[in-house]
Amino acid sequence: MVKICCIGAGYVGGPTMAVIALKCPSIQVAVVDISVARINAWNSDTLPIYEPGLDDVVKQCRGKNLSFSTDVEKHVSEADIVFVSVNTPTKTQGLGAGKAADLTYWESAARMIADVAKSNKIVVEKSTVPVKTAEAIEKILTHNSKGVEFQILSNPEFLAEGTAISDLFNPDRVLIGGRETPGGKKAIETLRDVYAQWVPMDRIICTNLWSAELSKLAANAFLAQRISSVNSMSALCEATGADVSQVSHAVGKDTRIGPKFLNASVGFGGSCFQKDILNLVYICECNGLPEVANYWKQVIKVNDYQKTRFVNRIVSSMFNTVSGKKIAVLGFAFKKDTGDTRETPAIDVCKGLIGDKAKLSIYDPQVHQDQIQRDLSMKKFDWDHPVHLQPMSPTSVTDVSVVWDAYTATKDAHGLCILTEWDEFKKLDYQKIFDNMQKPAFVFDGRNVVDVEKLRKIGFIVYSIGKPLDEWLKDMPAVA
């Protein structure tokens, strides 16, 4: 029986291994992590991450051919294939600070694998890593090999949170990169045979190592670029009276462009987009390509501009001050159908409002109070370190309360911001919300989920990204 072990029980490792276990009943799959709390959660009825469909998959396999354990060394030494899915945060100090990936956790995982391995192993990069990481890992493994042979493969994940399980069941493509040597080709075939148990062969792409590593960064950069492109248009739409939804619909009808990732919003978030683009920028700079680096930097700049613009719009609309005013924030996760708050635009928007002394009341159906407080008090990039290495007791942000329904959040508020496109926000009783808010009552829709005309008829002053401006707002331009 083939044995697979995955180091790292996070958003990538947990769901990916659960689906492999479900689709390959003859393979024994172990997910290992040094965090006892996280492993306990995977072994409980309340999983540590929220992802539609994940519960069912885990419950079907756990105790059969899927296990979660803190005994990292035992499972690594027994495995034929070791997936490494550890954090690769952006460096905050030293060479490449603010751009380069910090491979500390990857290196320590590689040294541990070399240390405990007693049989030949295929080591698979599952984390998003910079190009040429495999080469560094290969050197660590071979210099510490004690006669054991290692083959390194790159198998980047292309999951979208909120649809991760369906993405794993029916992927657009599975990418496997390896060395173009007999051993490398054999390793690629071994991993390909695992995925081929449910993925059609024509969707499994085999490449060299560097192509696989770069393809992941490139895919995320292209997706983020589309969001920044439509967000830049949203600013122009507001200035000219055009409607960004109509513009993006017309643009998306061009089959060469397509309709996906053309929804204007308060900005992109998630664990990968910003980190991967910064990584790409750093790699370009290191390879003497400043023009390419500057091109990709602009994608991040537009994203930051969009968040700043949103905050400025709120403040300028409300008589140029939000000091002491209650503002309801609906949604904190970076997108709907996930509890993930990594790099969510809500963090920067909330910090901007707190900086202007607003009192925030936040509601998100999947994000808990301690997570929100932690996010609002942490420094940038701290979130991407394992929990036990994050600041232990982040200072609580006193101007923030976290509540458990939208009506409590909006009661007596001067303004309401929608920062995540949860379906339930489309179905709220906005008349009831209006009746219980201070007047004038403002809605700032950062996800274009509300019916603007309907809300204006109720009496709200509405700002919706990229939509023709309310008469009220025309008199108070947002100063960027």
Side-chain angles (χ1 to χ4, degrees):
M1 178 183 269
V2 174
K3 288 189 174 178
I4 289 178
C5 171
C6 177
I7 303 171
Y11 278 92
V12 174
T16 305
M17 294 303 117
V19 170
I20 288 177
L22 180 72
K23 298 292 189 181
C24 310
S26 64
I27 294 177
Q28 202 67 39
V29 181
V31 182
V32 296
D33 201 295
I34 53 176
S35 166
V36 176
R38 178 169 273 188
I39 290 298
N40 286 346
W42 278 110
N43 283 318
S44 74
D45 287 333
T46 311
L47 301 185
I49 61 175
Y50 170 73
E51 192 63 53
L54 178 60
D55 269 30
D56 290 344
V57 175
V58 170
K59 280 169 186 164
Q60 280 182 68
C61 304
R62 198 171 53 194
K64 294 176 187 166
N65 66 327
L66 174 66
S67 61
F68 298 92
S69 170
T70 52
D71 194 343
V72 180
E73 295 187 0
K74 170 183 180 285
H75 288 286
V76 168
S77 71
E78 290 175 358
D80 304 295
I81 303 172
V82 180
F83 285 84
V84 183
S85 184
V86 296
N87 302 60
T88 49
T90 304
K91 285 181 79 170
T92 51
Q93 54 194 45
L95 185 65
K99 288 178 286 203
D102 182 346
L103 297 176
T104 307
Y105 307 120
W106 233 113
E107 184 176 334
S108 61
R111 289 184 183 280
M112 182 272 298
I113 293 167
D115 200 40
V116 304
K118 296 180 179 64
S119 58
N120 295 347
K121 304 214 178 303
I122 296 170
V123 178
V124 184
E125 290 177 341
K126 203 69 189 158
S127 322
T128 302
V129 291
V131 185
K132 299 283 182 171
T133 299
E135 197 166 51
I137 302 310
E138 207 169 47
K139 283 174 183 165
I140 290 166
L141 291 170
T142 50
H143 281 99
N144 295 279
S145 68
K146 303 172 198 157
V148 172
E149 263 189 42
F150 296 102
Q151 289 295 336
I152 316 293
L153 298 179
S154 172
N155 174 220
E157 56 81 21
F158 293 102
L159 307 179
E161 283 179 48
T163 57
I165 298 301
S166 58
D167 292 346
L168 285 162
F169 280 2
N170 186 29
D172 289 338
R173 79 290 205 196
V174 171
L175 187 55
I176 303 170
R179 284 283 193 195
E180 291 162 314
T181 60
K185 287 175 181 168
K186 188 162 182 287
I188 289 172
E189 280 171 27
T190 304
L191 185 56
R192 188 187 65 195
D193 290 346
V194 171
Y195 284 111
Q197 295 194 43
W198 80 96
V199 180
M201 278 299 228
D202 61 353
R203 291 198 200 168
I204 303 174
I205 304 167
C206 300
T207 68
N208 71 32
L209 267 171
W210 327 132
S211 297
E213 288 180 330
L214 186 54
S215 295
K216 168 64 177 173
L217 296 183
N220 278 342
F222 276 50
L223 291 171
Q225 178 199 43
R226 280 177 76 101
I227 297 171
S228 281
S229 294
V230 77
N231 282 344
S232 69
M233 285 295 152
S234 74
L236 185 57
C237 285
E238 288 167 31
T240 58
D243 182 328
V244 75
S245 299
Q246 294 174 355
V247 172
S248 60
H249 177 70
V251 169
K253 281 292 183 187
D254 186 325
T255 52
R256 296 166 301 175
I257 297 170
K260 292 185 176 173
F261 273 70
L262 287 181
N263 293 323
S265 68
V266 67
F268 59 73
S271 64
C272 287
F273 283 3
Q274 174 155 313
K275 183 172 80 172
D276 288 359
I277 292 175
L278 289 171
N279 212 323
L280 198 58
V281 165
Y282 183 66
I283 293 164
C284 291
E285 288 173 348
C286 290
N287 283 284
L289 301 169
E291 292 82 3
V292 182
N294 289 334
Y295 175 79
W296 289 108
K297 266 185 203 165
Q298 202 58 35
V299 173
I300 305 258
K301 281 186 182 168
V302 169
N303 197 50
D304 290 340
Y305 163 73
Q306 190 77 339
K307 291 180 279 190
T308 305
R309 206 168 71 80
F310 191 77
V311 172
N312 290 345
R313 180 70 75 186
I314 294 168
V315 177
S316 69
S317 304
M318 298 172 75
F319 313 104
N320 233 25
T321 177
V322 290
S323 179
K325 293 176 183 173
K326 177 179 175 181
I327 295 182
V329 174
L330 300 188
F332 198 82
F334 84 92
K335 67 175 182 180
K336 72 173 185 176
D337 294 336
T338 177
D340 193 353
T341 61
R342 293 177 294 178
E343 293 287 354
T344 173
I347 295 173
D348 286 336
V349 171
C350 290
K351 282 183 174 178
L353 293 170
I354 293 164
D356 224 301
K357 301 191 176 138
K359 305 277 185 196
L360 303 186
S361 184
I362 302 174
Y363 163 64
D364 186 289
Q366 284 298 334
V367 185
H368 295 278
Q369 175 171 348
D370 56 348
Q371 184 63 52
I372 289 172
Q373 287 285 0
R374 181 183 281 276
D375 285 334
L376 292 177
S377 55
M378 264 196 288
K379 291 194 187 103
K380 202 165 177 62
F381 304 129
D382 273 0
W383 58 266
D384 205 9
H385 291 270
V387 172
H388 67 287
L389 294 175
Q390 290 174 8
M392 274 312 287
S393 50
T395 48
S396 145
V397 183
T398 51
D399 290 333
V400 172
S401 64
V402 179
V403 297
W404 274 105
D405 77 277
Y407 300 104
T408 308
T410 51
K411 187 170 172 27
D412 294 323
H414 289 260
L416 178 172
C417 304
I418 300 172
L419 298 183
T420 313
E421 70 281 19
W422 287 103
D423 291 338
E424 67 180 77
F425 299 158
K426 296 175 186 173
K427 302 169 192 161
L428 294 172
D429 181 345
Y430 281 99
Q431 183 66 58
K432 177 181 170 183
I433 287 172
F434 179 78
D435 293 343
N436 289 313
M437 281 177 71
Q438 301 283 342
K439 307 298 181 297
F442 295 87
V443 171
F444 302 96
D445 183 0
R447 296 286 178 172
N448 286 345
V449 297
V450 300
D451 181 333
V452 175
E453 290 314 313
K454 187 174 162 193
L455 263 60
R456 283 184 182 141
K457 278 183 186 142
I458 290 171
F460 285 106
I461 294 160
V462 184
Y463 166 66
S464 200
I465 281 184
K467 300 292 178 96
L469 292 177
D470 198 295
E471 286 303 317
W472 178 289
L473 300 168
K474 283 180 186 170
D475 300 333
M476 300 183 178
V479 181

